[in-house]
Amino acid sequence: MDNIILIAVAAVVGLAIGFAIAKMMEKGKASKTIANAKKEAADIIKEAKKEGESIKKDKIFQAKEKFLELKAEHEKVIINKDKKIGEAEKRTRDKESQVSSELAKNKKLNDQLQEKIKEVAYKSDILDKKQSEVEKLHKSQVQQLEVISGLSAEDAKAQLLESLKETAKSDAMAYLQNTLEEAKLTAQQEARKIVVNTIQRIGTEEAVENCVSVFNLESDDVKGRIIGREGRNIRALESATGVEIIVDDTPEAIILSCFDSVRREVARLSLHRLVTDGRIHPARIEEVVKKTEKQINEEIAEIGKRTVIDLGIHGLHPELIKAVGRMKYRSSYGQNLLQHSREVAKLCGVMAAELGLNPKIAKRAGLLHDIGKVPMAEVEVETPHAILGMQWAQKYGEKEEVCNAIGAHHDEVEMTTLISPIVQVCDAISGARPGARRQVLDSYIQRLKDLEDIAFGFNGVQKAYAIQAGRELRVIVESEKVNDDKAAELSFEISQKIQTDMTYPGQVKVTVIRETRSVNVAK
């Protein structure tokens, strides 16, 4: 029994010891597992920290790159704005200098005008004094002559009038004859009516041609390619087209300078093709210029055809059609030659129809009247354009009345048909239309001043005004010094003085105004 108890106790003790040992082994294994887990967690945390630092560095680097990119763009925008502001300031300074120059010039002209007014007033006072002295001297001389001759002033005047009668009669007859001839040629009232009606029915836009053209560029970088290495491209272009190409500081623009509009157009179109294509070198330039010249020649022929079709002119020789097309690239005193010729043709057609003549012949002569201004060869330039145009018209089979109208529109040859004066008048109407032609301002102002100075050179003139662009001189005289008969004579003398001393376009109408005023004051 005791043995059984001992065995049981031993078994329980063994189980306890085994359980304790198992617990200890399990605890060691758990500690080891925990240690491993902690180690893995530490490694993961370390790797995560390392990866976080890398991501942080990448993000910081990307942020710095973005900042630098935005900063560069901002600086570029600021530079462009500064450039534009500088250009605007430069333009403003140029405008200010131009305005200052104009103000100085106007001040100078005003000072000259004031000096002229003072000078005229001084001369007027001197003339008044001299006039009073002359009148006193005249009276004393008349009295002495009456005593010496034994004749009264009336008898002496009668004898003097008789002696001057023949001279005055011949002068009056010459003046009357000129007046009658002018009246017969112009047919004053009817001609005025026809001209006014014709002008009212015809109206065209006026185009002013210059000697320069501006070729716009998308950017200034293209200028360097156009100039080429050591300027070879621009020299090749100037040699091929005969146009001076000016590359200066003007932003995004190149200036083409040449008196010949055809050459300028060829250079402009060639530059456009070269810049668009991108290949710019001497060989390519010569090729493009040749193609452009061929295109311009075809365009000239097409313009001539459209013009004659629009005007209803048929059977014109092809060479004359080309000459009409070339008129588009010519100008006279700033007036486009083709527009001028078209307008003259329409005016001639209307005026011929009003007078019962053939309007088609008149249109033909009006269109061709200035073809001599577009010479087909340089050797022909010395011939007057009216004679040259008449020779071409004869060469290419135009009718005699058309040839005579072309040659006679500047009185180079004698007029033999009624179409000739119509063409001459319509040419003058088109050229005299306001805004049609331009003149140099200084010469224009000088011509007006010369007109007024001629009037002031005559006795009794109080004021003189050149009006209607110098086509009329209005003279105001002193009624005490100039009577009605003297006013008519003064108008004739001033017109003759202008005719002999001045060169001017068209006609100058001289109007003498004499006014008598009687003023009393009621008190």
Side-chain angles (χ1 to χ4, degrees):
M1 188 68 180
D2 293 331
N3 291 331
I4 295 170
I5 293 170
L6 290 169
I7 291 169
V9 169
V12 170
V13 170
L15 287 170
I17 292 170
F19 182 78
I21 292 170
K23 282 291 184 179
M24 290 177 66
M25 290 179 67
E26 184 178 356
K27 185 176 180 181
K29 187 176 181 181
S31 298
K32 187 177 182 180
T33 302
I34 290 170
N36 291 333
K38 286 183 178 180
K39 184 178 181 181
E40 289 179 2
D43 292 340
I44 290 170
I45 291 170
K46 184 178 181 181
E47 186 68 26
K49 287 182 178 180
K50 186 177 181 181
E51 186 175 355
E53 289 293 330
S54 177
I55 293 172
K56 180 180 179 182
K57 290 180 180 179
D58 290 340
K59 292 298 183 180
I60 292 172
F61 181 72
Q62 290 177 3
K64 287 183 178 179
E65 285 185 344
K66 188 66 176 179
F67 174 74
L68 292 175
E69 183 179 352
L70 292 175
K71 182 180 179 182
E73 291 180 358
H74 183 64
E75 289 177 350
K76 187 176 180 181
V77 171
I78 291 174
I79 290 171
N80 290 332
K81 287 185 177 180
D82 290 341
K83 183 179 179 182
K84 291 181 179 178
I85 291 171
E87 292 174 355
E89 290 177 349
K90 182 181 178 182
R91 288 195 297 270
T92 303
R93 288 194 299 270
D94 293 342
K95 288 288 185 182
E96 288 177 352
S97 63
Q98 185 178 358
V99 170
S100 300
S101 176
E102 290 294 332
L103 288 174
K105 188 175 180 181
N106 289 336
K107 183 179 179 182
K108 183 178 179 182
L109 290 175
N110 188 37
D111 293 340
Q112 292 177 355
L113 181 61
Q114 293 297 330
E115 290 178 359
K116 197 73 174 178
I117 292 173
K118 292 179 181 178
E119 183 181 353
V120 170
Y122 177 71
K123 288 183 178 180
S124 178
D125 294 338
I126 293 176
L127 288 174
D128 290 340
K129 293 178 181 178
K130 288 186 177 180
Q131 182 68 25
S132 60
E133 292 176 0
V134 168
E135 288 179 355
K136 293 178 181 178
L137 183 61
H138 176 69
K139 290 180 179 179
S140 63
Q141 289 179 348
V142 168
Q143 292 174 358
Q144 291 177 6
L145 288 173
E146 288 179 352
V147 174
I148 294 171
S149 62
L151 295 174
S152 64
E154 293 298 329
D155 295 335
K157 186 185 294 185
Q159 290 183 7
L160 181 61
L161 289 175
E162 192 66 31
S163 64
L164 296 176
K165 185 176 181 180
E166 292 299 326
T167 304
K169 184 177 180 181
S170 61
D171 292 342
M173 288 300 295
Y175 180 72
L176 180 61
Q177 186 66 27
N178 291 335
T179 305
L180 289 174
E181 289 179 359
E182 183 180 355
K184 289 178 182 178
L185 289 174
T186 56
Q188 196 76 11
Q189 296 299 327
E190 189 63 26
R192 189 175 298 162
K193 176 183 176 183
I194 293 173
V195 169
V196 170
N197 290 337
T198 304
I199 293 174
Q200 288 175 345
R201 292 171 60 182
I202 304 295
T204 60
E205 298 179 355
E206 300 300 337
V208 176
E209 296 289 338
N210 298 315
C211 291
V212 295
S213 298
V214 179
F215 181 78
N216 295 316
L217 303 172
E218 294 181 359
S219 67
D220 288 336
D221 299 336
V222 185
K223 288 184 178 180
R225 295 167 53 200
I226 292 174
I227 295 172
R229 183 180 299 174
E230 298 178 356
R232 64 175 187 174
N233 290 345
I234 197 169
R235 285 198 302 271
L237 192 57
E238 288 180 343
S239 176
T241 59
V243 174
E244 182 183 4
I245 300 175
I246 303 172
V247 182
D248 54 13
D249 296 333
T250 305
E252 300 179 355
I254 290 177
I255 298 174
L256 309 176
S257 175
C258 181
F259 71 96
D260 191 333
S261 303
V262 178
R263 295 183 194 172
R264 288 206 315 275
E265 186 66 12
V266 169
R268 188 186 68 80
L269 292 178
S270 301
L271 265 177
H272 178 72
R273 288 185 175 182
L274 290 168
V275 171
T276 304
D277 183 68
R279 294 176 295 167
I280 306 177
H281 52 82
R284 176 64 177 167
I285 288 171
E286 292 179 1
E287 178 184 355
V288 170
V289 169
K290 288 181 180 179
K291 289 182 179 179
T292 306
E293 287 177 348
K294 183 178 179 182
Q295 176 188 343
I296 290 293
N297 290 331
E298 292 174 354
E299 183 179 339
I300 285 173
E302 185 62 26
I303 290 169
K305 290 179 183 178
R306 287 203 305 267
T307 301
V308 297
I309 290 173
D310 291 342
L311 294 175
I313 297 173
H314 305 285
L316 203 62
H317 194 278
E319 290 297 327
L320 294 180
I321 292 177
K322 291 180 182 178
V324 171
R326 282 198 298 272
M327 289 181 183
K328 179 183 178 183
Y329 299 99
R330 294 290 186 275
S331 62
S332 177
Y333 297 100
Q335 185 180 25
N336 183 271
L337 196 57
L338 181 59
Q339 294 292 339
H340 167 63
S341 298
R342 287 173 64 101
E343 184 177 5
V344 172
K346 293 178 180 179
L347 289 168
C348 289
V350 174
M351 196 170 290
E354 292 287 340
L355 295 173
L357 302 175
N358 189 338
K360 292 184 178 180
I361 297 294
K363 277 187 179 182
R364 200 180 192 95
L367 178 65
L368 299 177
H369 81 283
D370 268 346
I371 57 171
K373 290 185 178 180
V374 283
M376 300 179 185
E378 295 298 329
V379 295
E380 298 174 328
V381 173
E382 295 180 357
T383 307
H385 75 274
I387 300 299
L388 189 58
M390 182 180 69
Q391 292 173 356
W392 289 353
Q394 291 172 344
K395 179 180 178 181
Y396 297 118
E398 289 297 319
K399 294 182 179 180
E400 181 60 32
E401 51 262 45
V402 175
C403 298
N404 181 257
I406 295 172
H409 78 279
H410 283 313
D411 295 322
E412 300 287 350
V413 298
E414 184 180 358
M415 297 182 182
T416 58
T417 64
L418 291 176
I419 297 295
S420 300
I422 291 177
V423 172
Q424 187 181 55
V425 169
C426 294
D427 180 38
I429 291 172
S430 176
R433 186 188 295 277
R437 297 184 175 182
R438 66 171 184 264
Q439 292 178 311
V440 180
L441 179 61
D442 293 337
S443 63
Y444 170 75
I445 293 175
Q446 187 61 41
R447 182 164 65 85
L448 298 187
K449 287 183 177 179
D450 292 342
L451 272 176
E452 294 178 353
D453 290 340
I454 286 176
F456 283 120
F458 289 87
N459 187 30
V461 176
Q462 184 178 10
K463 297 178 182 179
Y465 303 104
I467 61 176
Q468 294 186 11
R471 290 185 173 85
E472 181 177 352
L473 180 62
R474 193 158 292 177
V475 181
I476 301 174
V477 298
E478 298 178 13
S479 58
E480 297 84 4
K481 298 180 180 180
V482 180
N483 55 27
D484 291 338
D485 296 334
K486 182 65 177 177
E489 181 182 350
L490 183 62
S491 174
F492 175 74
E493 291 175 356
I494 293 175
S495 66
Q496 293 300 307
K497 183 74 172 175
I498 293 172
Q499 187 172 333
T500 55
D501 293 355
M502 291 190 63
T503 302
Y504 50 91
Q507 297 179 345
V508 178
K509 179 182 178 182
V510 179
T511 304
V512 175
I513 301 173
R514 178 181 179 272
E515 182 181 20
T516 302
R517 293 187 181 183
S518 299
V519 180
N520 290 292
V521 179
K523 296 182 181 180

